[in-house]
Amino acid sequence: MRDRVVLITGGAQGIGRGIAQAVLAAGGSVMIGDLDQEAGKACLDEWQIGKRAMFRQLDVSRETSVRRWMDAALSRFGRIDGLVNNAGIANPCQGPLHELPLETWNRYLGTNLTGAFLCSKHALPALRIAGGAIVNIASTRALQSEADTEAYAASKGGLVALTHAMAVSAGPAVRVNAILPGWIATDAWQKPAQRRMPKLSRTDHSQHPAGRVGTPEDIGALAVYLLSPASGFVTGQHFVVDGGMTIKMQYA
C-alpha cells in the first residue's frame, strides 16, 4: 500500500479503525471520517504517524458532508486510491416489522446503503484517475437473519447488490468488492473512554469452526488485499469473514 491513499468511513472505531491501522501498517496513508470527533482525534493522537493520517468529521447520509470530506482528502493528499464504505448503524434488532417506524427504516437505509452510494459517487472521479478500488463493508446478515432485523438486513443486502452493480459500471478502471463480517469483537477498538476487553465465553469461541470470535484485524487484512494491486483480477465479489459460521449446520 506504499504511496496509496485510502479513505475509510466510520474509520475511528471498531472495524473501520482496524482497517485504517492495517492500511497504515502496509505503508499507506488514510483519511478517516466519523461522526464521533473525540474518537477521530484519539486515533491521530495514538497513532502518532504524522501526515499519513487525517481525520475529518463525516455524516455519510448528508451529501454536503460527503463532498466536503472528499475535498479535504484531495486537498491534503492530492489523490484517492481506495475507498472503504464502512460507516453504518450497527444495531440489527429493531423490534417486530409491524411496529417498525418508517423513520427508523429510512435511517438504516440512509446511513448503511445511501451513505455508500454518496461516498462512491464523489470518490469515483479520483479513483478512476488512480485506477483504484472500493471495498464495501456489508455483513453476513445480508445472507442470513435473526428475527426483527429487517431494516439492517435490507441495508446490508442492498450493499452487496450495489457492489456488483458498481463493479460492472466502474470497471475496468475501478474494482469494487464487499466484505461480509460475522461476529467481530470490537470492544477494544473503541475510543479510550469506552474501550474495554471483550467478555467472551468458551462457548462464544467454540461455536465458530475457526475456533474463535473475529477481530478487526481479520477484516483489515482482507481489506488491504482487496485495495492493493495484488487483487487486480478480483472485482464484483463478496467475501464472508465469519470464522465459518455461515457454513455450519445448526440443529437444535
Side-chain angles (χ1 to χ4, degrees):
M1 298 300 295
R2 186 173 300 279
D3 299 324
R4 291 179 174 262
V5 177
V6 177
L7 278 56
I8 304 166
T9 71
Q13 301 187 93
I15 287 174
R17 178 167 179 158
I19 294 171
Q21 291 185 193
V23 171
L24 291 170
S29 298
V30 298
M31 167 65 145
I32 57 174
D34 205 291
L35 280 172
D36 193 323
Q37 294 190 69
E38 181 185 349
K41 292 175 181 176
C43 285
L44 301 185
D45 291 342
E46 292 179 340
W47 292 340
Q48 288 292 304
I49 205 160
K51 293 184 177 181
R52 286 178 54 208
M54 181 180 181
F55 166 76
R56 286 289 185 276
Q57 189 175 36
L58 171 66
D59 182 347
V60 296
S61 68
R62 296 177 57 242
E63 190 162 17
T64 53
S65 179
V66 170
R67 189 183 296 113
R68 286 196 300 266
W69 188 66
M70 296 288 175
D71 290 344
L74 287 170
S75 179
R76 162 71 74 87
F77 297 109
R79 61 186 291 141
I80 300 174
D81 298 281
L83 168 67
V84 180
N85 287 311
N86 167 74
I89 302 169
N91 181 17
C93 296
Q94 288 297 312
L97 182 62
H98 67 278
E99 297 177 357
L100 184 69
L102 178 60
E103 179 184 0
T104 300
W105 172 271
N106 286 337
R107 187 162 58 90
Y108 273 81
L109 272 291
T111 301
N112 295 7
L113 184 56
T114 302
F117 152 69
L118 288 173
C119 291
S120 300
K121 170 185 174 180
H122 289 283
L124 269 171
L127 285 169
R128 284 195 173 102
I129 293 170
I134 295 173
V135 175
N136 294 321
I137 306 301
S139 168
T140 51
R141 290 175 186 269
L143 307 177
Q144 57 180 175
S145 292
E146 291 180 299
D148 304 329
T149 61
E150 283 80 6
Y152 185 85
S155 69
K156 293 301 188 178
L159 199 51
V160 171
L162 180 65
T163 295
H164 59 69
M166 287 199 303
V168 174
S169 300
V174 179
R175 296 178 300 102
V176 187
N177 292 288
I179 300 175
L180 281 59
W183 185 350
I184 306 296
T186 61
D187 309 67
W189 292 76
Q190 305 304 312
K191 61 186 178 182
Q194 297 178 359
R195 192 174 299 161
R196 65 184 190 278
M197 291 304 296
K199 295 180 179 179
L200 298 168
S201 69
R202 183 177 298 177
T203 300
D204 294 335
H205 290 297
S206 65
Q207 66 181 308
H208 293 76
R212 64 175 176 84
V213 172
T215 69
E217 291 104 326
D218 295 317
I219 309 302
L222 179 55
V224 165
Y225 168 71
L226 293 174
L227 291 163
S228 76
S231 60
F233 198 53
V234 181
T235 193
Q237 306 304 306
H238 63 268
F239 297 86
V240 173
V241 185
D242 70 343
M245 283 293 288
T246 53
I247 53 85
K248 180 182 178 183
M249 287 186 174
Q250 303 193 35
Y251 297 104

